[in-house]
Structures are given as C-alpha cells and as structure tokens.
Amino acid sequence: MRRAPPPPASPMSPLAEPVLAAIRAAYAAQREAQGDLGLSEADFTAFVAETVAQRAGDGGDAALALVGRLALADVYLAQAALPGDDRAVRRLFKDVEPYIRDRCARVADRSVLARDAADELLATLVTPRSDDPYSARLWRYRGIGSLKGWLKVTTRRLVVDHARKQRH
C-alpha cells in the first residue's frame, strides 16, 4: 500500500562526482545490508544529495565528510518506509515503536498522556494528512544524527504539546 509519493524530483545538485559516488556506494551497502525495500538508487541519491548540498555546499571535502557522518542506514530505512513499502514500514515500526512508547512514558507525567502522544507519533510517522502527501513526520528526518536521536527530540516536543493542549 502506498501512503505518499516519492519527494518531488528536484534537479540533481551539482555535487562533485566523488560525493555522488560515495552516496551511490552507501546506497549499495545499505541495500545489501537491509535488503531491497523498494527504494530506488535515484531517490536515495537525490534525497542525500539535497541534504549534503544544503549543509555543505556543492562538493569538495566538506560534502564528502558529511556523507561519511550521515546516518545512512537510518536514511535508507526511513526513505523506503515513507512511500509505504510494507516491508520497510514493518521493519521501521519493529525498530522504533517500543522506543517511542518508552520515550513518551519517560517524558510524560501521566500514562494517558504518554499513550496518546505515542499513538499520535506512530500514526503520523509515515502516514501523511490527506491534504499534503509530504506531511508525514518522517519526511523531516535528514540523517543528521541517528533516527532514534531524532525521535527522542520529536517525542519530547510532542509530549509537551499534548500536555499544553490538555491544560487549556
């Protein structure tokens, strides 16, 4: 079942060939390690290239170093899950659901608040609103740091938002 189309194709940034080669090699390594989860090399390369270009410019040593620091295993899984590939979504939720529920329980002062926040985050992680196919929360994850680190911050913010809403 498809939940959202792949991100709109943006013209490939003019990254230096060694940077693009490193991204393609990372894709091959992740596909080998995690299996084919339905994510194309072109989509993975475009997503990572956009992240690198936004943060390190058009190439060179800084861009190549950034590719080496990105959490590309997490990016591969996240990007594969976003369009709704069943295998990728199952694997993602197997990895992150217990973590999200635990983080919500640690941050929230009431179990109902923790459960509600965890349920909302899990429901919106890969499923977009009907009016915006790119509203799924996971589109915001860019690979700067681990997926669990990103989820830790996202979870805390969501629990705080839920607590504020319940007070008003």
Side-chain angles (χ1 to χ4, degrees), residues 47-143:
F47 183 83
V48 175
E50 181 181 340
T51 299
V52 170
Q54 287 173 351
R55 288 173 170 71
D58 62 356
D61 293 340
L64 198 53
L66 179 57
V67 171
R69 289 192 314 269
L70 292 174
L72 294 174
D74 290 344
V75 169
Y76 180 84
L77 180 58
Q79 287 297 301
L82 276 165
D85 180 88
D86 289 337
R87 293 165 298 167
V89 171
R90 279 194 305 273
R91 184 176 300 157
L92 175 72
F93 275 73
K94 181 182 175 207
D95 290 351
V96 302
E97 183 175 5
Y99 181 78
I100 289 171
R101 293 199 182 280
D102 179 64
R103 292 304 311 165
C104 286
R106 289 176 186 230
V107 174
D109 58 352
R110 294 183 313 281
S111 62
V112 171
L113 176 63
R115 187 183 62 243
D116 289 349
D119 289 347
E120 180 182 333
L121 180 54
L122 290 164
T124 60
L125 197 58
V126 296
T127 306
R129 295 184 318 264
S130 62
D131 65 331
D132 181 4
Y134 303 103
S135 63
R137 290 179 188 271
L138 204 50
W139 281 116
R140 298 179 196 132
Y141 176 65
R142 304 300 296 186

